[in-house]
Amino acid sequence: MIQTKKEIRPAETGASKTVNYRRRESIKDFMCVVPALVFLIIFVYYPIVHLFKISFTDWNLIRDSYKYVGLKNYKWLFKGSGFDVWLASLKVTLRYTIAEIVITIVGGLLLALLFNHTSKAFNFMRPIVFMPKYIAVATSGVVFIWILHKDYGVLNQALKSLGLKPLPWLVSEKTALKGVLMLTAWRVMGYSMMLYISAMNSISVDYYEAADLDGANGFKKFWYITLPLLSPMTIFILVTTFIASMKVFQSIDVMTGGGPYNATNVMVFWIYSLAFEEFRVDRAAVVSIIFFLILLACTALTLKISEKSVNYDA
Amino acid sequence: MSNDIRSSHRYTPKFLIVLRYILAILVTLIMVFPIYWMVITSLKTPEELLLPVPTLWPKKFAWHNYRDVLKMAPFGQYIYNTIVMTLGIMALQLFTGIFAAYGFSHGRFKGQNVLFLVVLGALMIPIQVIFVPIYVMVAKLNWINTFAGLILPNAVSAYFIFMLRQSFKSVDKSYIEAARVDGMGRIGVIFNVLVPMCKPTVLTVTIITFIDGWNSYFWPKMVTTKPFRRTLALGVQELRRSYAGIETWNYNQIMAGATMSIIPIVILFIFLQKYIISGVSKAAMK
């Protein structure tokens, strides 16, 4: 329709007509991406610039006005009372992240080996193992609070009946993070299992047949064929899990509220409590910026490693 | 799906197959247990809840827990809020995503690559880093406790654009040119050619957007302070009332609320798992 209008336009030389037509077409193409870009600028790029601005102020949410205080908030974070909390928070975040990565990769791989089998029963069981990922953490979090309850939780009852020592889980500094990781394990293992199964199925059978001719046993085939050929998938899972788990908030907020005694005070939770419990938006901004830089650096690093790593033809 | 590599070409002893079944059933039972426990707890009486040894099956079904929860908290309102928010986010992400994916795949304009980098760059700036300034902005606009505040900051998903663009790119230019020659405009091409040809991807990203919206917690927590605009994920937390630091004991009611909140997702998962699974493997191929 739009073109026919243009075709009717009289008195244009052929050349300028095409030029005009092209230009109008490219403007229309551009208009297609404008809505998305406008929203991204308003809700992603402007806020990140604003974040830097806030970090140089003394803004407290309960006051309306603020003034610029230079690097005061940065000094608070690196040389003042903020440093110890920051370091502790970073440590907890990293401990959580490393644990989630290990659970995702090792657990997912083991489950993939177990469930990569075709039969009606397995086709029925696989989605059940995979589903927890899609249940809201807010919901599964409260379920796990009850399962992990110190006195009436079914997990401690099970441990007792097996003759093992029950743990205080979420109410003790020492075990709170482990309690949160129970939920994490339940959520993520099925997901990485599905990823590993799809990667395993794309490995050519030829490799295994060749190994059979050489008389390799099951473990050798796994170690020398399956595992190396899965490495691109492992790196993909590593990178995505790393980025996602550094940002953990929901399960902490629902299950422990950062406690007990800051034992699970991960970075995003700390930023949240600085901004919405202490109303120190300025300090929250500084911590956000440093956290953002850490995320960027780590992402760049992991991407570099993954580029360098050998790419097999899987 | 596909054949099992390890047992397809060599004789496997029977006891190994049996062992595999036993282990798989065990794992499946463990995975399904939290859901089972949630439903079972939601049907227990307060007395049964605190038995020293938990019962695996309720002695007496306390269906009234569900009625009590509906009276305790405005669950109808939570459900309404969640549906409006989720559909709003879905509609806007589809609108911005489909057009942007077209522009970045089959369109041609100056600065196309740079602008696509702007989209990809957004993937590197998560909401968890910038929620403070977004909150400040939304508060200034008086959007706290409004659907605008819940929906608009999520109007674009860079991931959505990225996935759709890959898919649109795989459609041969000749289809589009043919449609244009037939007199179809840009919008016609998008909705009569590209979207139908990329239906699996469009469906997959739409379903994932729906699930993410339904389950979202982080941003709704920031932007809603009053029960009348709270969403389901937050509403379940409201049931955990504690009085002056004393622990709540209404786990049966909390579990009833939790059960109600996940029903739509479980139904969706059962019927549309094919698309969800294909989305998972597609994401990994990029």
Side-chain angles (χ1 to χ4, degrees):
Chain A
M1 271 187 290
I2 305 157
Q3 287 143 291
T4 40
K5 231 189 206 165
K6 178 221 70 174
E7 239 100 61
I8 307 163
R9 276 195 161 199
E12 273 179 317
T13 63
S16 81
K17 195 173 147 186
T18 7
V19 170
N20 265 338
Y21 172 69
R22 283 242 178 92
R23 202 166 69 205
R24 237 176 292 134
E25 282 291 286
S26 90
I27 288 173
K28 281 179 195 159
D29 282 344
F30 173 67
M31 291 311 285
C32 286
V33 305
V34 165
L37 289 175
V38 167
F39 276 113
L40 286 179
I41 288 165
I42 297 174
F43 289 114
V44 178
Y45 288 98
Y46 170 70
I48 194 104
V49 174
H50 195 198
L51 187 68
F52 278 92
K53 209 179 117 190
I54 296 172
S55 76
F56 297 114
T57 68
D58 66 346
W59 196 359
N60 190 316
L61 261 191
I62 47 176
R63 283 200 311 264
D64 277 339
S65 61
Y66 58 84
K67 58 180 190 297
Y68 287 93
V69 293
L71 292 173
K72 198 175 161 208
N73 292 314
Y74 289 87
K75 277 184 195 139
W76 163 80
L77 181 58
F78 288 116
K79 286 185 178 157
S81 59
F83 186 74
D84 287 340
V85 189
W86 179 74
L87 201 65
S89 176
L90 189 65
K91 272 187 196 158
V92 175
T93 313
L94 284 174
R95 262 170 58 205
Y96 175 85
T97 300
I98 291 166
E100 180 168 341
I101 289 173
V102 172
I103 292 167
T104 310
I105 289 177
V106 177
L109 192 57
L110 289 176
L111 288 189
L113 286 172
L114 179 62
F115 280 94
N116 190 15
H117 180 79
T118 310
S119 80
K120 266 208 177 124
F122 274 77
N123 293 349
F124 174 77
M125 288 190 286
R126 234 179 280 115
I128 295 176
V129 176
F130 168 60
M131 197 176 73
K133 172 92 181 172
Y134 297 94
I135 307 272
V137 177
T139 306
S140 46
V142 292
V143 177
F144 270 73
I145 291 174
W146 178 229
I147 290 175
L148 297 172
H149 193 281
K150 184 166 85 70
D151 302 316
Y152 296 96
V154 68
L155 183 62
N156 272 351
Q157 286 298 335
L159 289 177
K160 267 187 231 162
S161 65
L162 289 171
L164 296 165
K165 226 179 84 197
L167 288 171
W169 298 115
L170 299 172
V171 292
S172 154
E173 287 168 77
K174 285 197 184 109
T175 51
L177 199 66
K178 288 194 188 86
V180 176
L181 282 163
M182 296 291 279
L183 170 65
T184 304
W186 179 69
R187 289 192 74 239
V188 300
M189 287 200 315
Y191 182 73
S192 53
M193 171 193 83
M194 292 307 276
L195 290 173
Y196 272 126
I197 287 178
S198 79
M200 281 174 180
N201 288 333
S202 64
I203 297 176
S204 162
V205 192
D206 298 349
Y207 291 110
Y208 295 98
E209 278 166 3
D212 278 339
L213 290 179
D214 291 343
N217 63 22
F219 177 76
K220 271 195 172 155
K221 278 188 279 183
F222 170 73
W223 194 255
Y224 292 107
I225 300 172
T226 315
L227 209 52
L229 287 174
L230 286 179
S231 64
M233 181 55 83
T234 304
I235 284 160
F236 170 81
I237 295 174
L238 180 84
V239 172
T240 51
T241 307
F242 176 83
I243 296 168
S245 57
M246 286 289 281
K247 299 183 298 202
V248 59
F249 173 83
Q250 262 203 75
S251 50
I252 301 287
D253 186 44
V254 171
M255 293 174 81
T256 66
Y261 306 106
N262 283 347
T264 55
N265 188 27
V266 292
M267 204 50 94
V268 178
F269 189 84
W270 189 38
I271 299 173
Y272 165 80
S273 45
L274 280 173
F276 292 102
E277 277 161 22
E278 296 176 31
F279 304 114
R280 293 299 301 259
V281 186
D282 51 347
R283 290 180 173 175
V286 173
V287 180
S288 296
I289 287 169
I290 303 301
F291 180 54
F292 174 55
L293 295 178
I294 293 173
L295 276 184
L296 267 190
C298 291
T299 312
L301 193 76
T302 44
L303 286 178
K304 205 162 189 186
I305 294 168
S306 70
E307 257 169 37
K308 260 192 198 158
S309 73
V310 193
N311 260 307
Y312 300 89
D313 63 357
Chain B
M1 275 173 81
S2 74
N3 57 327
D4 169 33
I5 290 151
R6 296 198 308 161
S7 60
S8 63
H9 50 92
R10 217 175 214 203
Y11 170 73
T12 315
K14 202 155 204 169
F15 80 91
L16 275 181
I17 297 175
V18 174
L19 188 70
R20 175 175 228 165
Y21 269 84
I22 292 172
L23 277 175
I25 290 167
L26 210 65
V27 169
T28 309
L29 286 178
I30 292 171
M31 292 310 236
V32 91
F33 181 78
I35 301 294
Y36 169 80
W37 200 237
M38 173 183 78
V39 177
I40 288 302
T41 307
S42 78
L43 293 169
K44 285 182 177 176
T45 58
E47 296 77 40
E48 193 172 350
L49 212 57
L50 301 182
L51 288 180
V53 177
T55 46
L56 287 171
W57 190 254
K59 289 177 185 162
K60 212 171 79 191
F61 284 83
W63 292 103
H64 61 84
N65 287 338
Y66 284 81
R67 229 179 311 130
D68 297 347
V69 164
L70 291 175
K71 270 187 221 145
M72 265 171 79
F75 253 74
Q77 187 67 37
Y78 297 153
I79 293 167
Y80 170 77
N81 293 342
T82 309
I83 291 173
V84 173
M85 177 190 75
T86 307
L87 292 183
I89 291 173
M90 230 169 82
L92 272 173
Q93 289 196 1
L94 273 170
F95 169 76
T96 56
I98 287 174
F99 277 96
Y102 169 81
F104 286 122
S105 60
H106 292 285
R108 219 184 296 154
F109 54 90
K110 259 192 200 142
Q112 197 175 13
N113 294 333
V114 176
L115 291 177
F116 189 61
L117 281 182
V118 170
V119 173
L120 289 185
L123 284 172
M124 308 290 281
I125 309 173
I127 175 94
Q128 286 87 348
V129 165
I130 50 173
F131 68 91
V132 172
I134 300 181
Y135 173 82
V136 168
M137 185 199 304
V138 166
K140 240 186 220 161
L141 290 164
N142 270 328
W143 281 357
I144 302 296
N145 291 318
T146 65
F147 282 120
L150 280 167
I151 295 168
L152 290 178
N154 296 306
V156 177
S157 156
Y159 169 77
F160 198 133
I161 295 174
F162 179 72
M163 294 293 286
L164 270 187
R165 172 182 172 264
Q166 294 298 100
S167 180
F168 282 3
K169 261 192 152 176
S170 67
V171 174
D172 201 84
K173 281 253 188 241
S174 60
Y175 288 104
I176 289 155
E177 276 154 21
R180 294 304 298 256
V181 169
D182 283 350
M184 244 186 229
R186 198 166 267 91
I187 294 173
V189 167
I190 293 174
F191 290 100
N192 296 323
V193 181
L194 284 171
V195 170
M197 287 182 82
C198 301
K199 205 172 128 201
T201 311
V202 174
L203 265 174
T204 300
V205 285
T206 308
I207 294 164
I208 289 173
T209 305
F210 181 89
I211 295 177
D212 283 351
W214 191 274
N215 289 346
S216 67
Y217 178 84
F218 189 75
W219 182 243
K221 185 180 168 99
M222 310 294 149
V223 86
T224 62
T225 55
K226 301 228 166 73
F228 77 91
R229 247 335 143 250
R230 289 244 135 135
T231 54
L232 264 178
L234 295 162
V236 174
Q237 313 303 314
E238 304 269 294
L239 296 171
R240 300 165 57 195
R241 286 181 194 146
S242 60
Y243 300 98
I246 297 164
E247 203 181 344
T248 48
W249 284 111
N250 60 335
Y251 282 104
N252 49 353
Q253 292 169 333
I254 298 171
M255 294 303 136
T259 306
M260 284 192 276
S261 79
I262 69 161
I263 289 170
I265 293 298
V266 172
I267 293 172
L268 201 77
F269 185 85
I270 291 169
F271 288 104
L272 298 173
Q273 42 165 301
K274 187 179 102 191
Y275 293 105
I276 296 170
I277 291 168
S278 91
V280 169
S281 40
K282 249 180 225 146
M285 293 308 156
K286 300 290 175 258

